Amino acid sequence: RDSFDTGGLQTLMVRQGSWVRSNGGRSLLVVDKIDSNMRRQLDSNCLEYVETWDSDKIAALLKKETLRISGLVYLMSYELIDFLKLEKILFDSGLKGCFKHILYSVYPGTTRIASQAGGGVGEFVRSFYGKIVQQCLSNRQMLFMDADCRDAAREMHHLDSELFSNTILPLGMNITERSEVRRIEDIEPRTILTVSRAIFPFKGYLVGLLHTFAEMVFDYQDLRLKIVSFGPHIDILKNEINSLDDEVKAKVELIEGASEESIRTMLQQTWLYIGMGTTVLNAANEAVPSIVVHHHTLDCKACGFFSDDPLTIGLQWEDGANEDVSRLIEACIELDDEAYSSLCAASRAALAENYSIDKVMSRLLSCFEGAGDFRLSRRDWAFVKLLDRVRGLRRKMLDLG
């Protein structure tokens, strides 16, 4: 089942590395742990990778890279903690001037460290990381995949909006060639597909979608719901499905994990996609209309159609404005063949315009060129090291590896 453990960030790394390689560059992925599916993807794309998170080994690796390459090396992290770890390695190894380093936030929690910690200690830690985020932004060393990630950092640390100007860099996607027109008459029955890990409440929309579907299916007998999922709360999802009326349950299919290729095949036979994150982009790549939903709620709250707001592929639910999912589904049901085909084309056009990997990676390279140099005092580096140790002990206690 490890074929489903490779998520959106991991496949993004493969796309980024492949783009660099195909454009005459060289990429190296340094990871703590990867599953067998990720390893297969890296190998099949002839991408170099090293499995270690030991500071001394990484330092030796980075020194080796500077000897192989004349000029600057570009370094990208995806977590604030990892960014600091690598900066500390550069600092200790005397390699600060050899690398341009950017933090690319692909999850709202990236910059919300200690958000739930109480008391004076929690406030001190949040303030400390707030200063780090502020410096990264001032140095143009921080990018966000969408407005959700950007706003999480801005609201958490109460920073000036000016610091966040031009910091959104959408996920780069390989846009597949398509010439055929998708038609309703070629899709029987009307299948709604969603692909998501069962991690609640983060991706609790799965539960809400089941209830929405159960309410609608009696009025629209040709509707079907297909869920591809796997994760720590899969049993909760199964129990929710088993609690449905038999007539509804017969029209719900749960698939526990699937390969990228099989998901692509499912999408080609899908009438409507509902979900968030990279999966929405994968659906648009197959010209499947998508309804984007909020995360961190057990209800199914919609942000709207992807084609209407392509830079929003998920927002945290905080009792804000939302679209009625059932109304959006009904709007699709009411489309005639021509209007449905137009919606399919609009979804794919929105993807190509905003997420083409050629456009995104070209902009990323220019961001590297304009990035500054991150600096902390020795006292602050000592505090970073202490926090990293505390985090490591916590991970061991929780058996997170």
Side-chain angles (χ1 to χ4, degrees), residues 22-91:
S22 64
N23 284 271
R26 176 173 171 268
S27 68
L28 175 65
L29 179 63
V30 181
V31 295
D32 183 4
K33 295 178 182 178
I34 55 175
D35 62 28
S36 59
N37 182 39
M38 179 65 170
R39 195 171 288 108
R40 283 193 298 270
Q41 289 191 43
L42 291 168
D43 290 339
S44 64
N45 285 277
C46 300
L47 297 176
E48 297 179 66
Y49 61 96
V50 177
E51 291 183 70
T52 182
W53 208 235
D54 179 81
S55 294
D56 291 336
K57 291 180 180 179
I58 294 175
L61 181 68
L62 295 180
K63 286 181 180 178
K64 182 179 179 181
E65 292 305 309
T66 60
L67 296 175
R68 293 180 56 173
I69 300 172
S70 59
L72 291 173
V73 181
Y74 293 160
L75 185 64
M76 186 152 69
S77 302
Y78 303 89
E79 294 280 353
L80 181 55
I81 296 294
D82 297 343
F83 174 87
L84 288 172
K85 180 184 180 76
L86 292 175
E87 281 292 331
K88 183 65 163 61
I89 291 172
L90 296 177
F91 177 78

Side-chain angles (χ1 to χ4, degrees), residues 315-351:
L315 290 173
Q316 181 157 342
W317 175 248
E318 294 177 338
D319 298 324
N322 72 96
E323 297 270 5
D324 185 273
V325 174
S326 58
R327 186 192 67 77
L328 294 175
I329 295 173
E330 287 173 343
C332 286
I333 292 173
E334 293 168 2
L335 296 175
D336 59 23
D337 194 62
E338 182 179 354
Y340 177 77
S341 296
S342 294
L343 182 59
C344 292
S347 296
R348 196 165 186 286
L351 177 78

Side-chain angles (χ1 to χ4, degrees), residues 105-109 144-152 168 170-171 196 202-203 205 273-281 290-297 300-318 321-322 355:
S105 171
V106 296
Y107 172 61
F144 305 90
M145 80 165 187
D146 59 15
D148 200 20
C149 294
R150 180 198 63 193
D151 294 346
I168 293 180
L171 299 174
S196 175
F202 176 37
K203 299 195 176 183
Y205 81 89
Y273 187 84
I274 296 178
M276 61 182 178
T278 307
T279 63
V280 171
L281 306 181
S290 295
I291 296 173
V292 180
V293 297
H294 290 270
H295 55 84
H296 283 92
T297 172
C300 193
K301 308 282 190 180
C303 304
F305 284 111
F306 168 74
S307 52
D308 291 337
D309 184 11
L311 292 181
T312 298
I313 54 175
L315 290 173
Q316 181 157 342
W317 175 248
E318 294 177 338
N322 72 96
Y355 294 88

Side-chain angles (χ1 to χ4, degrees), residues 72-77 100-103 140 143 363-372:
L72 291 173
V73 181
Y74 293 160
L75 185 64
M76 186 152 69
S77 302
K100 287 276 192 173
H101 192 187
I102 280 180
L103 169 61
R140 312 309 291 175
L143 296 169
R363 188 183 155 209
L364 176 60
L365 292 179
S366 68
C367 290
F368 271 114
E369 292 171 3

Side-chain angles (χ1 to χ4, degrees), residues 228-242:
V228 179
S229 187
F230 181 73
H233 298 140
I234 190 69
D235 288 339
I236 295 176
L237 187 61
K238 288 179 180 179
N239 290 337
E240 290 289 338
I241 294 173
N242 290 330

Side-chain angles (χ1 to χ4, degrees), residues 106-150:
V106 296
Y107 172 61
T110 298
T111 55
R112 295 177 64 88
I113 300 171
S115 61
Q116 303 299 320
V121 173
E123 182 61 32
F124 180 79
V125 172
R126 286 191 293 273
S127 175
F128 178 78
Y129 281 115
K131 289 189 293 185
I132 288 173
V133 170
Q134 183 173 15
Q135 184 186 161
C136 287
L137 289 166
S138 297
N139 289 347
R140 312 309 291 175
Q141 285 182 276
M142 182 174 289
L143 296 169
F144 305 90
M145 80 165 187
D146 59 15
D148 200 20
C149 294
R150 180 198 63 193

Side-chain angles (χ1 to χ4, degrees), residues 135-373:
Q135 184 186 161
C136 287
L137 289 166
S138 297
N139 289 347
R140 312 309 291 175
Q141 285 182 276
M142 182 174 289
L143 296 169
F144 305 90
M145 80 165 187
D146 59 15
D148 200 20
C149 294
R150 180 198 63 193
D151 294 346
R154 183 172 59 192
E155 293 164 9
M156 171 76 177
H157 301 294
H158 311 292
L159 297 174
D160 190 334
S161 296
E162 288 287 324
L163 289 170
F164 294 86
S165 63
N166 201 32
T167 55
I168 293 180
L169 183 76
L171 299 174
M173 296 290 293
N174 297 317
I175 312 299
T176 57
E177 294 292 332
R178 286 190 67 89
S179 56
E180 68 275 17
V181 177
R182 298 189 89 241
R183 302 183 184 280
I184 296 175
E185 60 189 29
D186 300 328
I187 306 169
E188 293 290 344
R190 293 179 194 263
T191 300
I192 298 171
L193 175 67
T194 191
V195 181
S196 175
R197 285 184 176 90
I199 302 177
F200 307 144
F202 176 37
K203 299 195 176 183
Y205 81 89
L206 290 172
V207 175
L209 179 57
L210 276 173
H211 296 309
T212 297
F213 178 80
E215 292 172 359
M216 296 187 67
V217 75
F218 291 107
D219 292 328
Y220 303 100
Q221 291 290 320
D222 64 338
L223 283 181
R224 300 292 185 274
L225 177 60
K226 184 178 293 187
I227 301 172
V228 179
S229 187
F230 181 73
H233 298 140
I234 190 69
D235 288 339
I236 295 176
L237 187 61
K238 288 179 180 179
N239 290 337
E240 290 289 338
I241 294 173
N242 290 330
S243 69
L244 299 173
D245 292 341
D246 288 343
E247 186 175 347
V248 176
K249 190 163 48 177
K251 298 181 178 182
V252 177
E253 180 182 3
L254 174 63
I255 300 170
E256 291 191 63
S259 66
E260 278 194 74
E261 188 57 41
S262 62
I263 291 173
R264 189 175 300 115
T265 299
M266 291 180 214
L267 282 168
Q268 292 166 358
Q269 301 163 352
T270 292
W271 167 69
L272 178 66
Y273 187 84
I274 296 178
M276 61 182 178
T278 307
T279 63
V280 171
L281 306 181
N282 291 333
N285 213 1
E286 300 299 330
V288 179
S290 295
I291 296 173
V292 180
V293 297
H294 290 270
H295 55 84
H296 283 92
T297 172
L298 293 179
D299 295 323
C300 193
K301 308 282 190 180
C303 304
F305 284 111
F306 168 74
S307 52
D308 291 337
D309 184 11
L311 292 181
T312 298
I313 54 175
L315 290 173
Q316 181 157 342
W317 175 248
E318 294 177 338
D319 298 324
N322 72 96
E323 297 270 5
D324 185 273
V325 174
S326 58
R327 186 192 67 77
L328 294 175
I329 295 173
E330 287 173 343
C332 286
I333 292 173
E334 293 168 2
L335 296 175
D336 59 23
D337 194 62
E338 182 179 354
Y340 177 77
S341 296
S342 294
L343 182 59
C344 292
S347 296
R348 196 165 186 286
L351 177 78
E353 174 64 26
N354 295 282
Y355 294 88
S356 164
I357 193 155
D358 288 327
K359 294 180 181 179
V360 170
M361 291 299 290
S362 293
R363 188 183 155 209
L364 176 60
L365 292 179
S366 68
C367 290
F368 271 114
E369 292 171 3
D373 188 22

